[in-house]
Amino acid sequence: MKYRTIGNVTVSAVGLGAMPLSIEHRPDEDQAVATVHAALDAGITLIDTADSYHWHAGERGHNELLIARALARYGGDTSHVLVATKGGRGRPGDGSWTVDATPAHLKRAAEASRKRLGVEAIGLYQLHKPDPGVPWADSVGALRELVDAGTVRAAGISNVTTDQIREAHAILGDALVSVQNRYSPAERDAEPALELTTRLGLAFLPWSPLGGISRSSLDGPSGPASSDTAFHRVAADHGVSPQRLALAWLLHRAPTVIPIPGASRPASILDSARATETVLGAAELEQLEALLPADGLGGRAGG
């Protein structure tokens, strides 16, 4: 495993996105715990969760509680593991997602997350999504208050624009340590955000980092994943999975990138963790960047 930094904390260069362990079609708890333990065994020290990662109504915090139990049951030292959680979204239980980033809600949510995780202070607390009904400065100001109160040690923001990153950085200063946006071989809209976070020295945590290679847990069961892309061909040359190759490509994008692939089986996260071992040459990176507009991934039209 190789390592990178989020603020002043050193973490594994690949994290575990824990959402699939709690939402629709989630595994049973034994398999979920085994997946977390496999990640830890592989050297992963960053686990990403959220209070809204659950399936049914009335389950808020399901994923946080699951992560806390998995860490407690692990036989080794977990003091170096950074659990990053998020607040500001909800799930009524009908498959939809809501947004509530009012300062009052964020403060209550952070305190509830802290208790579920069983920690004195949350290592990284992220505003899950901007609320169009709340001034951005007010939501970010709540993060500032949570840091100042010691409820959280560092703050992050998610699903944001470059202007929102700049405003949050002005309000939070060094307390802002990360940005989590959707970014993958197929989803490149966050390129400006990646460039800005690199300049600011903020960690960039791509969620759904395997888009175009594998379906995200948010995408549901419909729709095939790509199967004939430049990523698949270069992966075959390296003798690795396309998923591992996609993560290796992300790690080459910038030294601040820390992908957080989701997993619901130990084998999946073990494969993802080994992405740090895959080194891509300049010619391979150029090949992967030569994306065709037909599918956005360098595959043949209609393939």
Side-chain angles (χ1 to χ4, degrees):
M1 179 56 67
K2 294 182 174 62
Y3 296 88
R4 296 188 169 183
T5 58
I6 299 179
N8 60 3
V9 178
T10 299
V11 299
S12 54
V14 173
L16 168 63
M19 183 176 73
L21 302 177
S22 289
I23 65 165
E24 289 84 340
H25 313 295
R26 64 195 182 203
D28 62 36
E29 178 147 338
D30 286 345
Q31 181 175 321
V33 170
T35 301
V36 175
H37 288 179
L40 299 173
D41 289 342
I44 287 177
T45 62
L46 171 65
I47 300 176
D48 181 79
T49 180
D51 63 357
S52 57
Y53 290 169
H54 62 88
W55 185 350
H56 307 291
E59 287 188 326
R60 179 174 291 274
H62 181 281
N63 198 242
E64 293 172 324
L65 290 168
L66 173 64
I67 297 304
R69 289 194 297 271
L71 290 173
R73 291 166 55 182
Y74 187 63
D77 179 22
T78 61
S79 61
H80 57 298
V81 176
L82 175 62
V83 178
T85 192
K86 296 181 287 293
R89 300 208 75 177
R91 298 203 77 196
D94 59 0
S96 66
W97 296 76
T98 60
V99 181
D100 183 353
T102 59
H105 173 78
L106 290 173
K107 292 174 188 177
R108 289 194 303 270
E111 180 59 26
S113 290
R114 185 191 68 79
K115 291 179 179 177
R116 284 190 289 264
L117 293 171
V119 295
E120 292 184 5
I122 297 171
L124 174 58
Y125 191 70
Q126 304 160 98
L127 199 164
H128 206 152
K129 187 176 183 179
D131 186 337
V134 179
W136 179 238
D138 291 355
S139 297
V140 176
L143 296 183
R144 175 79 264 176
E145 291 183 38
L146 287 167
V147 172
D148 291 343
T151 306
V152 308
R153 293 195 175 94
I157 50 178
S158 183
N159 300 301
V160 288
T161 66
T162 52
D163 286 344
Q164 289 168 333
I165 294 170
R166 292 188 184 94
E167 186 173 359
H169 190 253
I171 294 170
L172 289 164
D174 290 342
L176 178 66
V177 298
S178 67
V179 170
Q180 184 177 148
N181 278 8
R182 186 168 193 163
Y183 186 76
S184 70
E187 298 285 344
R188 302 286 293 276
D189 290 348
E191 197 80 42
L194 170 57
E195 294 172 0
L196 177 57
T197 55
T198 301
R199 291 199 302 272
L200 294 175
L202 304 175
F204 185 82
L205 314 179
W207 64 265
S208 193
L210 301 177
I213 304 298
S214 298
R215 288 189 299 275
S216 164
S217 295
L218 288 177
D219 294 334
S222 62
S226 299
S227 59
D228 181 23
T229 72
F231 284 84
H232 290 76
R233 294 190 286 276
V234 174
D237 291 341
H238 279 265
V240 302
S241 70
Q243 292 80 4
R244 193 191 304 184
L245 196 284
L247 295 173
W249 172 79
L250 283 166
L251 291 170
H252 280 77
R253 299 299 295 156
T256 55
V257 172
I258 305 172
I260 46 173
S264 57
R265 298 180 299 113
S268 297
I269 195 59
L270 289 174
D271 184 61
S272 293
R274 296 189 65 186
T276 61
E277 303 171 9
T278 302
V279 179
L280 300 174
E284 291 174 318
L285 290 170
E286 184 176 351
Q287 180 182 353
L288 295 174
E289 282 299 304
L291 308 179
L292 298 179
D295 64 4
L297 282 165
R300 292 189 292 271

